Structure formats: C-alpha cells, structure tokens
Amino acid sequence: MSGVRVRFAPSPTGPLHIGGARSALFNWLFARQKGGTFIVRIEDTDLERSSRESEQNILEALRWLGLDWDEGVEVGGPCGPYRQTERLSIYQQYARQLLESGWAYPCYCTEEELAAEREALLARGEMPRYSGRCRHLTEQDRRRLEEMGRRPVLRFAVPAGENITVHDLVRGEVTFDTAGIGDFIIVKSDGIPTYNFAVVVDDHHMGITHVIRAEEHLSNTPRQILLYRAFGWPEPQFAHISLILGQDRSKMSKRHGATSIEQYREMGYLPEALVNFLALLGWSPGGEEEIFTLGELVQQFSLERVAKNPAIFDLDKLNWLNGHYIRQSSLDRLTELAIPFLQKAGYISGGGVAPEQYRWLKQLVATVRDYLTSLSEITRHVDIFFAPEVEPEDEEALAVLAGEEVPRVLSVLAEKVRSAGELDEDTARGILKKLPKELGLGARKVYLPIRVALTGRTHGPELYQVISLLGREKVLSRLGRVAGAC
C-alpha cells in the first residue's frame, strides 16, 4: 500500500447526514486529486442502533452524489473485512497485546462507583476523568471481583504529565495535557471495542495516511495518538474540518430543515447541486466562481483552503445552486425526475406514461423549470394545466377582468383558436403576436386579460406556452366562461 489513502467510516445508525456527506466529499476530492485511494468502511459496533438498512441508505446516498470508492464494503479490497463487526478477532488480538505490554488493564468499577467519582471531581472543581483506581489491582483482587460477578472493561493506561500535540492540517498545532484525559475504555465488558481503539487498529491496518473528519472528533485525537505510540505505529496526518451551523449559528439540526441527503433527494434536489453546495461548506476556491462540477472540484480542492471557522448552512444558496443546475439539465432527465412528484400530487396516474403524454409532460417541464428551485415545487406551478377551470387568484386579477375591452379580446382570441390548425407553440405565438394590432389595443390590455382568463394569475409562463399546453378544448372553455361572466 502506497500513496495517499483516506477513508470515510460512517456508523450505520441512520441516514447519511449533511455533515457526513461533506466529510465523505472532502476525503473523496483529496484522494482523487492526489491519485490516491478512497476507502469506505462501516463502523457498526453500536450493535443496538446499527442496521443494514442504514448502511444501504448511506452507500446509496454516496453513489447518488457521485462518490465512488476504491476499497471497502461491497467492492472489497486487500484490507478487509470492511465492517467492524466482522473484525472483532483482529481487535481482540491487539487488545491482548496492549494488556501484555502493560498499556492496558482490566477495570471492574461499576457505573455507580464511576458516577460517584465524577461527582467528587466536579465538587472539587476538577475535570471529570477516570482516576485509574483499578490500575494496580493484584491478581487476587481481580479473581475476587470476578467471583462477585463483575465483568471488566479494558482501559488504556494514559501516561501522566505528558502533552500530546496534534499537527492538524486545518487547525494547526493543538496540544492536549494527558492529565485531562484519564484512562479511557478500549474494550467494553461484552468484548466490543470502543470507537477510539477500533478506529486506530482499522486505520493502521488499512494504511490510512490522512484522517479527514469533522471537528467534533478533535478531542478523540490525543487518545488515538497515544494508542498509535503504544503500538509503535506511524501516525496518520489529521485534518479536522469545521462544524456546520444553522443560520442562527447554532449546531445544524432538524429545526434548520432537512438534515439528510435522502431528504434532499426526495425533495427534488439534484446531486450535482448538493455536491457543489457541500464543497463550499468550509472550503473556499481561489476566485469568485461558485459553480463547480465534480471534475473542477478535484482540480481545485486543497486542505489549505479549508476554513477553521464554522460553516453556515445557507438554504437560500443551496436553492440558488439547485435552480442553476435544473436550468442546465436536459429536459428528458428533468421530466423523468418530475414524474413521481406529479404522480404523488394526483396529476397523472401511477402507471406508465404513454409516449404522447411524455412529450406533453416534457413541454410542461420546459415551460415551468425557470421558476423551480427544487423539483418538488413543480406541483405548485403546474396546477393550472390540470384543473378543469381556474378562478382569479386575487383582487388584482379580478380587476383585470373588469376592463371594458375584455369580452372583445377574449372573443377574438377564441375565434382564432377555433379556426387554427394544430395549436402548437409556434401557432399560438403567431396568433398572439397579431392580436394587439388587430384589436387596436396596447399589448398589456390584450395579454393580461388573456393570462388571467387562462391561468387565474397575473404572472407566469409565456402565453404561447400556456395556450399550447392547455390545448384547444381547455382554452376555449376558459375563455368562454370568463367572457360569459363579463
């Protein structure tokens, strides 16, 4: 194993969240730029909360974002297995090594004893940590405690009076005093390794050269460095990327909106928009440009331009980016993506779409896509094309229909629609273009009443698109209904 090797190692306890997706993206970009290896492994030692369903959700979200991996679950590789629950024998081997070398010891303290110890330290104004009370138990003490039914955990013996300095590629040098760490658990009483122990064994075995992860893991890093040193293993380089905050500058949570990639996919966001947005959460390009393809991000990405300060999750910016990519996408792609939303709204049946209907839907998407920031919004913009009739949406629209020339305008248009051949966009455009001159009226007095009569609104898509989409029957019905009421 040589060259840059990075990993994304999620816990499968839920869907892939925004923060995890950004960590995966930064690792992927770094690996691709350096010609390195991107590994996906699953940290599933939280047996109660982990599930294969969540694992599949995470992997599918990564694929949807366009992030492929070179080694790991489902693709294999020389360092497998890539699920922690399938590596338990490996952890047991290294736990024994630490035990035999004196770097670890069994601890028999109960939860009640540990809680009392924490309270005593807090009462003295000291940082809560384990005191090491089981470090020097004799073999006889251990046998006695085990006969009482106590099952020990395994703790790492943290050396006293040392400073551990993390040379972080984003945050610079960060120093921790071992006095504030305390002897931490590396194997639980049921034999399951803890995060800090398993991650060190895995990262070493998989040849990880750079650990790029969220800032919240920075406090774990000195414990992991101690483990590397106890084993005599080289340490990877660390890079801790900033927290993601909501616009109120509190930690990103459900109250700020959707938090998982799956939710954004279901709302009709495009993967390229999310990737572009995630890249800008804590990383800044060299210039003013904000639109980047994955390939362009690979070329420009660097850890040197990852900010220390928290990244602000700006939904307006995501919507702007998504709107841009919607307008750039092919109509066939957008139509396929829009169909489920139209089916869910009851506008089209849940079965297959016939070729003629597909062509009409494609025209519909072309008509409204400039108004969309996500594909789920399409149902708000197309209801006028599916409703049997429409009503003026507000007082302004009603006032437009009160004009004295309105009946004549609608009557002339209706006659031209009746006598027209195929009512496509070109035909509708030709009819509309001639109307103001034929009627001797200004364009606004012609087009605005037509718009309200056909859509109930004073703003919207081009009228020639509206007429073509509605078709002859609906156009004549709506014109006649309004003209008769004037």
Side-chain angles (χ1 to χ4, degrees):
M1 294 181 292
S2 61
V4 165
R5 291 175 63 83
V6 296
R7 47 71 170 178
F8 176 58
S11 296
T13 56
L16 180 62
H17 284 204
I18 289 292
R22 183 189 59 165
S23 294
L25 174 63
F26 281 18
N27 276 280
W28 186 90
L29 290 173
F30 188 75
R32 293 293 171 261
Q33 187 191 70
K34 302 294 185 183
T37 301
F38 178 57
I39 300 166
V40 172
R41 73 165 183 256
I42 298 296
E43 299 188 342
D44 57 350
T45 53
D46 186 341
L47 302 179
E48 289 185 3
R49 298 172 60 223
S50 295
S51 71
R52 284 296 176 94
E53 181 184 1
S54 292
E55 179 184 313
Q56 286 304 309
N57 176 287
I58 292 167
L59 299 180
E60 176 59 29
L62 291 175
R63 290 191 183 99
W64 181 72
L65 290 170
L67 307 183
D68 58 338
W69 51 101
D70 308 296
E71 291 179 26
V73 286
E74 297 191 351
V75 302
C79 304
Y82 292 93
R83 290 186 188 89
Q84 286 187 335
T85 50
E86 297 170 7
R87 298 173 60 82
L88 296 180
S89 61
I90 299 173
Y91 307 132
Q92 289 165 3
Q93 171 193 340
Y94 286 103
R96 282 195 300 271
Q97 183 177 323
L98 289 178
L99 194 59
E100 291 165 3
S101 63
W103 279 109
Y105 61 91
C107 169
Y108 297 86
C109 294
T110 65
E111 284 297 322
E112 292 76 18
E113 289 169 341
L114 294 172
E117 190 174 88
R118 281 194 297 269
E119 288 175 15
L121 286 168
L122 287 169
R124 296 199 300 268
E126 297 179 33
M127 184 182 297
R129 64 194 181 283
Y130 182 64
S131 63
R133 59 192 290 177
C134 287
R135 259 204 206 200
H136 305 295
L137 292 176
T138 64
E139 194 61 38
Q140 185 179 1
D141 292 331
R142 290 172 184 160
R143 278 199 303 271
R144 178 177 55 81
L145 289 166
E146 287 177 10
E147 286 170 2
M148 293 169 58
R150 295 199 186 186
R151 297 178 63 193
V153 299
L154 202 62
R155 287 187 183 270
F156 182 80
V158 174
E162 289 190 17
N163 286 327
I164 305 296
T165 298
V166 181
H167 302 280
D168 196 279
L169 296 175
V170 172
R171 319 200 76 76
E173 289 195 352
V174 186
T175 300
F176 297 86
D177 187 342
T178 57
I181 295 176
D183 294 352
F184 55 93
I185 298 172
I186 57 173
V187 180
K188 292 180 281 189
S189 59
D190 60 2
I192 300 297
T194 61
Y195 166 76
N196 282 312
F197 179 59
V199 78
V200 168
V201 172
D202 290 345
D203 284 349
H204 172 71
H205 264 244
M206 295 178 189
I208 300 303
T209 60
H210 296 75
V211 174
I212 305 168
R213 59 188 179 187
E215 180 187 345
E216 61 198 39
H217 287 293
L218 181 59
S219 60
N220 288 318
T221 309
R223 293 170 175 82
Q224 292 167 19
I225 287 175
L226 285 169
L227 284 163
Y228 277 108
R229 293 177 182 176
F231 282 120
W233 294 340
E235 301 161 25
Q237 290 187 273
F238 292 94
H240 290 89
I241 54 183
S242 64
L243 295 173
I244 299 175
L245 304 181
Q247 289 191 293
D248 60 358
R249 302 195 73 80
S250 64
K251 190 173 179 181
M252 183 77 180
S253 66
K254 291 178 181 178
R255 64 192 178 86
H256 295 108
T259 58
S260 73
I261 297 301
E262 180 181 42
Q263 287 173 299
Y264 285 100
R265 183 178 183 178
E266 289 174 350
M267 289 191 293
Y269 286 82
L270 301 181
E272 57 267 42
L274 267 172
V275 164
N276 197 154
F277 177 72
L278 289 170
L280 297 175
L281 280 178
W283 170 79
S284 59
E288 298 297 317
E289 182 60 52
E290 292 189 305
I291 305 292
F292 296 98
T293 64
L294 256 180
E296 290 166 341
L297 287 170
V298 168
Q299 290 177 344
Q300 293 213 29
F301 183 79
S302 69
L303 290 173
E304 288 75 17
R305 301 196 67 85
V306 173
K308 297 179 186 178
N309 297 328
I312 304 300
F313 188 93
D314 184 349
L315 186 58
D316 291 336
K317 187 167 191 176
L318 173 57
N319 287 337
W320 173 77
L321 283 167
N322 203 52
H324 166 82
Y325 284 105
I326 285 174
R327 290 186 289 277
Q328 296 297 312
S329 293
S330 74
L331 279 174
D332 282 311
R333 179 195 184 200
L334 292 180
T335 303
E336 293 291 343
L337 291 171
I339 284 172
F341 294 105
L342 298 173
Q343 289 173 331
K344 187 177 180 180
Y347 290 142
I348 59 176
S349 66
V353 176
E356 185 177 346
Q357 185 184 26
Y358 181 84
R359 286 192 293 272
W360 184 85
L361 288 172
K362 189 173 172 181
Q363 184 184 350
L364 179 70
V365 171
T367 298
V368 301
R369 73 167 168 180
D370 285 353
Y371 303 94
L372 305 179
T373 58
S374 69
L375 284 167
S376 61
E377 294 175 351
I378 194 168
T379 56
R380 299 207 312 260
H381 295 277
V382 302
D383 55 339
I384 58 171
F385 299 105
F386 294 95
E389 298 290 350
V390 292
E391 299 291 338
E393 66 175 354
D394 52 28
E395 293 299 322
E396 181 187 357
L398 275 170
V400 168
L401 296 181
E404 62 177 328
E405 297 292 342
V406 169
R408 185 164 70 97
V409 170
L410 301 185
S411 177
V412 170
L413 175 60
E415 184 56 40
K416 290 185 176 296
V417 168
R418 277 191 203 93
S419 60
E422 183 183 358
L423 200 60
D424 57 17
E425 289 187 0
D426 288 339
T427 303
R429 188 190 281 112
I431 291 171
L432 291 166
K433 187 176 181 180
K434 296 174 183 176
L435 271 183
K437 188 173 182 180
E438 290 182 17
L439 292 164
L441 296 171
R444 182 176 174 81
K445 287 191 175 182
V446 173
Y447 298 141
L448 201 52
I450 293 173
R451 180 176 295 283
V452 175
L454 295 181
T455 70
R457 302 167 185 173
T458 54
H459 303 282
E462 296 288 347
L463 273 176
Y464 67 86
Q465 295 174 311
V466 171
I467 290 171
S468 176
L469 279 168
L470 285 174
R472 194 187 318 271
E473 186 178 328
K474 275 190 176 179
V475 168
L476 291 175
S477 172
R478 293 183 185 185
L479 292 176
R481 184 167 179 261
V482 174
C486 289

